[in-house]
Amino acid sequence: MSAVRSGALYDEHVLLGAEFEDGCHGLCAVRSYPSEAPLGEAAGEGAVLCDLTGLAYELVSGASSSSLLHAATCGPDPQVGSAAFECVLTGDGALVSVPLVMRTGDSECALLDFGLRGEVLSGWLGFVRGIEQDGEAPFADASVEPAADMLVPLLLAGGSARSVLLDYLESPAQLPVPGAVASVRLDAIPALVCHLPQVGSLPESYVLLVPPAYARVLWRSLLSFTEVAPVGHVAVRELFLGALPWGDAVSSQDLVPLTLGELRAWGVLRPELDFIGARSLMNAQP
């Protein structure tokens, strides 16, 4: 298996006896480990750690990246330093997916998809980026590219996640609040830390975006905490799809038609109905 396909932490997963599965963009993903603790137990008072390599993990950047995301997503435009789950629809109002959108700069966002429709999302964003109107390409100055080789995505979730991360910091104030992403040093390791929004019954969760050169050191350090247990993507999908209100809708590869009422109930709809798919949703109302 090549280094590109295997990801920065592949050898660590082999040492733990991981079972692998095919992930997005040709990367292998950890399906599970033979010694995984029951998910409810590990994500309750303890914490679970997962290498998210192999999920749909995209960087949308460039001068027209904000315009592209405004067109492609249904919720409020994310401000720099914010993080939110954003719904993405096709032109006929069917659900593409509901990725986590982390606004990491004036002209860049990182997207992570925890459902089963990551490949669909990646393809759709690429399609939207290439849309032309009246001979003009409004999003030509944006790029959509896989981000796994830039920063390694790790998930730390559960009742002990916050206390574990605080052990690396000089002050609790350095951790971002729910729905925020910030540049943080975990001891000597630079990282982007996203505190996931408090949605549904999702336990306290953090995504750590770590330079590949530091990923192995941080992975081993986090697993040195007795309350932290490694889990694979199957367990993480079970956790997220069971906790988030749109979990059932993104649990298969089938296109799912939605209504404006459902989007409002999920909390992912902005008042201005100016996104791709909005016209179809309005026409479908009784």
Side-chain angles (χ1 to χ4, degrees), residues 173-188:
Q174 293 176 284
L175 269 185
V177 299
V181 58
S183 179
V184 175
R185 293 194 74 85
L186 302 174
D187 285 341

Side-chain angles (χ1 to χ4, degrees), residues 72-74 86-90 94-99 111 121 124-125:
T73 61
C74 304
E86 293 272 4
C87 188
V88 179
L89 303 178
T90 64
L95 178 66
V96 175
S97 197
V98 190
L111 281 72
L121 175 67
W124 177 250
L125 290 175

Side-chain angles (χ1 to χ4, degrees), residues 71 74 89-94 133 258-260 263 269 272-285:
C74 304
L89 303 178
T90 64
D92 60 3
Q133 298 176 340
L258 294 177
T259 66
L260 289 173
L263 294 175
L269 184 67
E272 305 83 11
L273 301 180
D274 56 355
F275 49 84
I276 293 172
R279 182 176 301 176
S280 294
L281 292 179
M282 289 186 287
N283 291 339
Q285 290 190 117

Side-chain angles (χ1 to χ4, degrees), residues 124-150:
W124 177 250
L125 290 175
F127 171 79
V128 173
R129 187 258 174 200
I131 286 176
E132 293 188 3
Q133 298 176 340
D134 300 324
E136 300 290 332
F139 313 125
D141 292 331
S143 65
V144 181
E145 56 188 325
D149 293 334
M150 304 174 193

Side-chain angles (χ1 to χ4, degrees), residues 57 72 78 103 112 115 120 144 151 221 226:
Y57 170 34
R103 183 71 179 270
L112 266 171
V120 178
V144 181
L151 294 172
S221 177
T226 57

Side-chain angles (χ1 to χ4, degrees), residues 28-209:
C28 73
V30 175
R31 177 177 175 79
S32 63
Y33 301 99
S35 59
E36 283 188 13
L39 185 60
E41 174 184 331
E45 294 184 0
V48 294
L49 176 66
C50 182
D51 175 9
L52 300 177
T53 298
L55 292 186
Y57 170 34
E58 314 292 327
L59 179 68
V60 181
S61 61
S64 54
S65 58
S66 294
S67 299
L68 188 157
L69 285 169
H70 183 85
T73 61
C74 304
D77 292 333
Q79 302 301 306
V80 175
S82 70
F85 289 101
E86 293 272 4
C87 188
V88 179
L89 303 178
T90 64
D92 60 3
L95 178 66
V96 175
S97 197
V98 190
L100 175 69
V101 177
M102 298 170 281
R103 183 71 179 270
T104 53
D106 289 330
S107 59
E108 66 175 36
C109 280
L111 281 72
L112 266 171
D113 192 307
F114 292 91
L116 295 173
R117 315 207 59 205
E119 294 281 10
V120 178
L121 175 67
S122 298
W124 177 250
L125 290 175
F127 171 79
V128 173
R129 187 258 174 200
I131 286 176
E132 293 188 3
Q133 298 176 340
D134 300 324
E136 300 290 332
F139 313 125
D141 292 331
S143 65
V144 181
E145 56 188 325
D149 293 334
M150 304 174 193
L151 294 172
V152 179
L154 304 177
L155 174 73
L156 186 67
S160 297
R162 177 178 174 83
S163 62
V164 167
L165 287 179
L166 287 178
D167 196 67
Y168 292 88
L169 304 176
E170 295 181 358
S171 164
Q174 293 176 284
L175 269 185
V177 299
V181 58
S183 179
V184 175
R185 293 194 74 85
L186 302 174
D187 285 341
I189 297 175
L192 289 173
V193 175
C194 173
H195 192 166
L196 270 63
Q198 295 175 332
V199 180
S201 58
L202 193 68
E204 187 156 28
S205 303
Y206 298 85
V207 168
L208 317 176
L209 303 178

